[in-house]
Amino acid sequence: MSTTAAFTSLESFEAAIRDVRNDDTKTKWVLVHHVDNDPSRLEVQASGEGDVSEMVGYLKDNEAQYGLIRLEEQIDLSVTTKFVYIHWMGTGIGFAIRGRFGVVHGSIQANFTPFHMAIETSSREDLDQQVVTDQLASQSGLKQRVLEKEEAKDRPVRGFTGVGSGQGPPSRPIGAKSSASPSVSRTGASVAASGDVAAIFQDVRSADVSVDWPWAAVHFPNNDVKQPLAVLATGDSTLDGLRTHLTKDTAVFALTRVVDHVDDIPTKKFIQITWVGDSVKPMAKAKIATQKGGIIEIIGQSHLSVFAGAPNDTNERILKEKISVSSGSKR
């Protein structure tokens, strides 16, 4: 019995995923299912520009289906992009084939990494737009903050306001009776880090506003996800040095900072960059997906999360424009 599933057209799937991750496209979600309910074969079933409810319309009670949704979340004065992985197991799936779907799921999920949150469910109620949005906010522990101009005028430079991790309801197995909230992965597996990792990220956060593009990056040495995260490199002025480390066989996690002007006030904005190269082994990708929450805890919260599919996705002009658009400072 095969323990992996493969796409009949990998190119079609990769193109659909790129559209969902690309802020310049209108595509908000993609849905994948098994060809003829064969656990070893996958194909893109649908994609769309609507909200979660549009995707829910394609879910079937006798199928296992997998989706990625792009949502927006408010952090301070910025709107950030978040990705949610959906693992749907219809209530009409037979017991025997349900087990076979479970065996191959690890290889399937690896194709959707990275993402901020995963929902595993067999109830459409769990995929209500508001429920998903609330779970995402709870998972990241965020509350919208509005800074009034009268309060802001006396603050020459604003930084990022740190927040803790949200705690949600306990998970329930697929097929269990639906409750008000879905089974959602939260902080995920714990992640260890070498002793000097915290210091490099603190250096980025405390860098003077006169310093352009301070950045710090960590990785798993030798791509061994069982090892603690270690310092990869640091720099400033440009992200050219960071881009040299974004190769097809590496996984890199970085933090950088740009100064945006909101209401004519210079404001520090932090950008988290995740890079998982195409040649990183599927099992390593799956492990990284389960560790995402732990990695974020080590790096700290950010105003913008970027899942780079190509080194040019970290272009300074592109990143600054995204920050300006999300904060409303772009005119």
Side-chain angles (χ1 to χ4, degrees):
M1 182 174 64
S2 175
T3 59
T4 61
F7 285 91
T8 55
S9 174
L10 183 60
E11 295 80 7
S12 297
F13 170 73
E14 290 178 340
I17 285 290
R18 281 196 300 270
D19 278 349
V20 174
R21 295 197 184 278
N22 187 348
D23 291 341
D24 294 329
T25 71
K26 295 182 179 180
T27 304
K28 297 292 182 63
W29 59 267
V30 61
L31 188 66
V32 167
H33 72 159
H34 293 272
V35 179
D36 298 326
N37 255 1
D38 180 349
S40 64
R41 294 193 297 155
L42 298 165
E43 67 178 359
V44 174
Q45 179 182 2
S47 62
E49 301 175 2
D51 61 12
V52 179
S53 63
E54 182 182 48
M55 189 200 72
V56 169
Y58 288 88
L59 297 178
K60 298 182 179 180
D61 291 333
N62 63 341
E63 288 195 23
Q65 293 160 282
Y66 318 90
L68 189 70
I69 303 170
R70 185 175 77 212
L71 297 172
E72 292 183 342
E73 185 177 52
Q74 188 86 20
I75 298 181
D76 291 338
L77 299 179
S78 300
V79 177
T80 65
T81 300
K82 299 286 187 176
F83 296 97
V84 178
Y85 171 66
I86 305 296
H87 178 195
W88 169 264
M89 290 287 282
T91 55
I93 299 174
F95 179 79
I97 196 169
R98 180 182 293 270
R100 294 179 62 192
F101 286 144
V103 169
V104 300
H105 178 244
S107 69
I108 297 170
Q109 180 174 301
N111 290 286
F112 290 86
T113 58
F115 46 79
H116 295 88
M117 184 176 76
I119 298 178
E120 180 179 325
T121 186
S122 58
S123 171
R124 290 174 177 81
E125 294 177 8
D126 291 345
L127 299 176
D128 175 82
Q129 177 78 22
Q130 190 60 52
V131 170
V132 174
T133 301
D134 289 347
Q135 288 292 336
L136 188 60
S138 175
Q139 183 261 356
S140 57
L142 295 175
K143 295 181 180 179
Q144 182 173 344
R145 302 172 188 82
V146 179
L147 187 63
E148 298 294 341
K149 290 184 179 180
E150 285 301 310
E151 180 185 357
K153 68 180 182 180
D154 296 326
R155 301 187 183 185
V157 178
R158 282 197 300 244
F160 179 73
T161 304
V163 294
S165 297
Q167 297 296 320
S171 61
R172 58 182 174 80
I174 288 178
K177 186 177 180 180
S178 173
S179 59
S181 302
S183 168
V184 181
S185 65
R186 297 199 165 43
T187 58
S190 61
V191 182
S194 60
D196 50 354
V197 164
I200 65 170
F201 292 127
Q202 183 56 42
D203 287 346
V204 172
R205 295 185 184 278
S206 61
D208 189 84
V209 292
S210 63
V211 178
D212 290 329
W213 295 101
W215 61 270
V218 296
H219 70 146
F220 292 105
N222 301 316
N223 274 345
D224 184 354
V225 294
K226 296 180 181 179
Q227 294 193 42
L229 282 172
V231 173
L232 176 61
T234 61
D236 57 42
S237 299
T238 76
L239 299 182
D240 288 344
L242 173 61
R243 283 186 282 271
T244 64
H245 296 284
L246 306 184
T247 62
K248 64 180 182 180
D249 57 354
T250 60
V252 177
F253 313 95
L255 181 73
T256 188
R257 189 223 67 207
V258 64
V259 175
D260 189 25
H261 286 78
V262 180
D263 299 329
D264 296 323
I265 301 171
T267 307
K268 291 182 179 182
K269 297 289 186 177
F270 297 99
I271 304 170
Q272 180 202 331
I273 298 171
T274 298
W275 167 269
V276 181
D278 292 339
S279 297
V280 174
K281 294 181 179 179
M283 292 305 293
K285 287 183 178 179
K287 183 66 174 179
I288 290 170
T290 67
Q291 295 175 323
K292 182 62 179 176
I295 294 171
I296 290 176
E297 286 188 355
I298 290 171
I299 296 176
Q301 292 290 341
S302 59
H303 296 89
L304 177 68
S305 296
V306 175
F307 299 98
N312 191 54
D313 290 342
T314 64
N315 176 278
E316 292 87 343
R317 179 187 58 80
I318 293 174
L319 294 179
K320 191 163 187 177
E321 182 172 352
K322 286 185 176 182
I323 281 288
S324 297
V325 170
S326 66
S327 67
S329 64
K330 185 178 181 181
R331 297 291 185 263

